Amino acid sequence: MGDDELVREWREAEREPGAVVLDGFHALKHAVRFGGDVRWVLTVDRGALLALAAELAGDVVPAVEGLAVEVPEAVVRGLVSRVHPTGVIGLAVRPSAEANLAALAGRPRRAPVVVLENPRNLGNVGAVIRLAAGFGATGVVTTGDLDPWHPNVLRGSAGLHFATAVERLTLPQLPAGPLYVLDPEGTDIRDLPFPDDALLAFGTERHGVSEELKARADHLVAVPMRPGVSSFNLATSVGMGLFHWMSGRKR
Ligand SMILES: C[S@@+](CC[C@H](N)C(=O)[O-])C[C@H]1O[C@@H](n2cnc3c(N)ncnc32)[C@H](O)[C@@H]1O
């Protein structure tokens, strides 16, 4: 296939519902490793890509070998705003909302669902998804208008969207489970273990938790802070919440 035809086909595939761009090797690696539906891989140097995969992630080598097509750097530059230092881009289709909703609603739930109320910062949401994937959380639900599958969020999560269920819902649509809302005004977190089926909810970066979310809470929980400090960063708070859950579990 010529480069022009390849670009045309990529553009068409990119317009398919649920298509997402994987920017760089780590996003590709995580999408493949966690069962993502990866359709395309373009690389500026196939040999270098396979060597990197062999060195860092032998488990993904067969898939990458089967998918990777070498193209001139100008082709990649025409498809993404900035060529990743690893010189690779992929195209995958995100899991369906039905599959994610089933994962979020599944019982018994063995790990919490993280809820971000109306987050504003794409990088924060990516960092939260990376944390949730690392801790083995059931999923990350966002409310509000930010798309948790936005390319910059996917960049921030290093493709770990494929390792946990990521969906946007409204507060009334939250999955069932005891709702622990993290808020600086809450009960000291050290007095309250988090159960495996908890929903751990966090407020928006600037204004914190809404009255509506507080009204739904079974518990308001605070990570104590030194006097004079008003709050922690959103993603940091999620990390502490998930660590608190993990610390209360048997190894
Ligand atoms: C940047 S903070 C919001 C700051 C906001 N001005 C406030 O007063 O809550 C974002 C979210 O992180 C969580 N958070 C930050 N610091 C916390 C703390 N000390 N204890 C519990 N949650 C905290 C809360 O969920 C909060 O809504």
Side-chain angles (χ1 to χ4, degrees), residues 2 12 48 50 53 60 75 89 108 119-120 123 127 153 170 179 214 239:
E12 253 172 51
L50 293 176
V60 307
V75 169
I89 54 172
R120 307 314 306 156
V153 181
T170 61
L179 180 58
K214 277 187 193 165

Side-chain angles (χ1 to χ4, degrees), residues 182-184 202-206 208-209 221-223 225 231-232 237:
L182 279 280
D183 182 86
F202 300 82
T204 191
E205 287 91 340
R206 173 142 343 152
V209 176
V221 191
V223 179
M225 293 178 291
S231 70
F232 293 116
S237 303

Side-chain angles (χ1 to χ4, degrees), residues 161-248:
H161 282 63
F162 293 91
T164 190
V166 178
E167 276 304 322
R168 177 166 45 164
L169 298 173
T170 61
L171 287 183
Q173 292 171 325
L174 288 184
L179 180 58
Y180 290 72
V181 174
L182 279 280
D183 182 86
E185 303 295 312
T187 306
D188 190 319
I189 195 168
R190 291 170 292 188
D191 299 330
L192 206 59
F194 291 160
D196 292 349
D197 64 345
L199 306 180
L200 302 181
F202 300 82
T204 191
E205 287 91 340
R206 173 142 343 152
H207 300 296
V209 176
S210 71
E211 291 307 316
E212 185 188 355
L213 181 55
K214 277 187 193 165
R216 289 174 182 271
D218 295 298
H219 304 276
L220 272 190
V221 191
V223 179
M225 293 178 291
R226 177 182 175 182
V229 177
S230 48
S231 70
F232 293 116
N233 158 275
L234 173 58
T236 308
S237 303
V238 174
M240 290 188 282
L242 286 170
F243 183 77
H244 180 66
W245 162 68
M246 191 187 77
S247 305

Side-chain angles (χ1 to χ4, degrees), residues 79-158:
L79 294 173
V80 285
S81 52
R82 169 190 70 91
V83 181
H84 191 273
T86 54
V88 58
I89 54 172
L91 199 65
V93 177
R94 53 156 288 180
S96 69
E98 292 72 31
N100 275 344
L101 292 177
L104 291 165
R107 290 304 187 114
R109 187 182 298 132
R110 301 191 195 288
V113 172
V114 174
V115 179
L116 302 182
E117 186 183 32
N118 196 19
R120 307 314 306 156
N121 182 295
L122 298 163
N124 258 344
V125 180
V128 167
I129 292 167
R130 193 169 180 165
L131 283 163
F135 280 102
T138 296
V140 176
V141 168
T142 62
T143 71
D145 54 8
L146 180 150
D147 175 9
W149 283 85
H150 185 285
N152 291 355
V153 181
L154 206 73
R155 203 166 285 138
S157 81

